[in-house]
């Protein structure tokens, strides 16, 4: 049961409607996220700016970003974030259906590249401990340069923030407002 129903689109401030229109390339299904954010428009604009940077204008390869988002949303039980990314974003990055499904299982159960494994294990440690062991840090920094490591940490953090909020609010995955 939704704890805070998304605001109907007709009641959103015009700038929030414009941001949704401007993000059409992100596919259908964003309306409940935007409708939830419409309860706090200044926060919506600020947060959506960060999300735009991390998901469209960042330095990370799209595949790396999606692995991090999928693993974070899986580990935190965020059905909304998982569904949005597994159904729309992951296929656009070249992740196969089998790889997307494997993100939700033990890392050792799939034959990941060294880079993918480092990213997935980094997410696991961040979600569990809010820190990285020296071993995972070394493997991660061997496959990503410093700006991309910083960006990866921020992607995981913003995904965790959104995933927790949307889960706690019981924001519905499907449907539109």
């Amino acid at each position: 049961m939704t704890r805070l129903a998304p605001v109907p689109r007709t009641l959103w401030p015009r700038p929030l409607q414009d941001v949704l229109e401007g993000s059409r390339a992100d596919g259908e299904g964003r309306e409940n996220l935007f409708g939830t954010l419409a309860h706090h428009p200044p926060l919506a604009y600020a947060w959506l700016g960060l999300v735009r940077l991390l998901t469209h204008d960042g330095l990370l390869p799209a595949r790396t970003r999606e692995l991090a988002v999928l693993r974070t949303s899986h580990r935190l039980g965020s059905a909304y974030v998982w569904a949005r990314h597994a159904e729309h974003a992951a296929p656009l990055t070249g992740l196969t259906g089998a790889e997307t499904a494997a993100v939700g299982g033990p890392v050792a159960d799939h034959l990941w590249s060294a880079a993918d494994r480092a990213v997935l294990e980094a997410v696991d440690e961040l979600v569990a401990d809010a820190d990285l062991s020296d071993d995972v840090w070394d493997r991660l920094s061997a496959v990503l340069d410093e700006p991309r490591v910083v960006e990866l940490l921020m992607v995981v953090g913003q995904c965790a923030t959104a995933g927790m909020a949307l889960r706690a609010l019981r924001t519905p995955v499907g449907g539109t407002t």
Side-chain angles (χ1 to χ4, degrees), residues 11-69:
L11 300 178
W12 297 356
R14 183 76 231 161
L16 190 57
Q17 292 181 32
D18 293 343
V19 172
L20 179 67
E21 289 301 318
S23 68
R24 282 185 181 206
D26 293 333
E28 295 299 317
R30 301 167 329 281
E31 292 82 2
N32 286 338
L33 167 65
F34 279 67
T36 297
L37 292 173
H39 287 280
H40 193 320
L43 175 64
Y45 308 133
W47 183 76
L48 288 168
L50 173 62
V51 170
R52 172 129 188 101
L53 171 71
L54 293 174
T55 61
H56 295 289
D57 303 326
L59 302 173
L60 283 173
R63 176 189 173 90
T64 300
R65 181 192 64 246
E66 284 308 310
L67 285 172
V69 168

Side-chain angles (χ1 to χ4, degrees), residues 64-107:
T64 300
R65 181 192 64 246
E66 284 308 310
L67 285 172
V69 168
L70 288 168
R71 188 68 172 190
T72 303
S73 62
H74 165 72
R75 291 293 309 268
L76 295 174
S78 176
Y80 186 95
V81 175
W82 175 269
R84 286 283 306 132
H85 285 264
E87 293 169 12
H88 179 74
L92 296 176
T93 69
L95 282 168
T96 67
E99 288 173 317
T100 298
V103 169
V107 174

Side-chain angles (χ1 to χ4, degrees), residues 5 14 26 44 49 51 69 85 96 98 106 113 122 124 132 134 138 150 156:
R14 183 76 231 161
D26 293 333
V51 170
V69 168
H85 285 264
T96 67
S113 70
D124 286 350
L132 295 175
D134 290 340
D138 290 344
V150 171
V156 172

Side-chain angles (χ1 to χ4, degrees), residues 147-177:
R148 285 171 180 82
V149 170
V150 171
E151 186 174 310
L152 177 72
L153 299 175
M154 297 304 291
V155 165
V156 172
Q158 83 80 24
C159 180
T161 299
M164 284 186 247
L166 295 169
R167 182 177 176 184
L169 293 170
R170 310 290 192 263
T171 300
V173 174
T176 60
T177 57

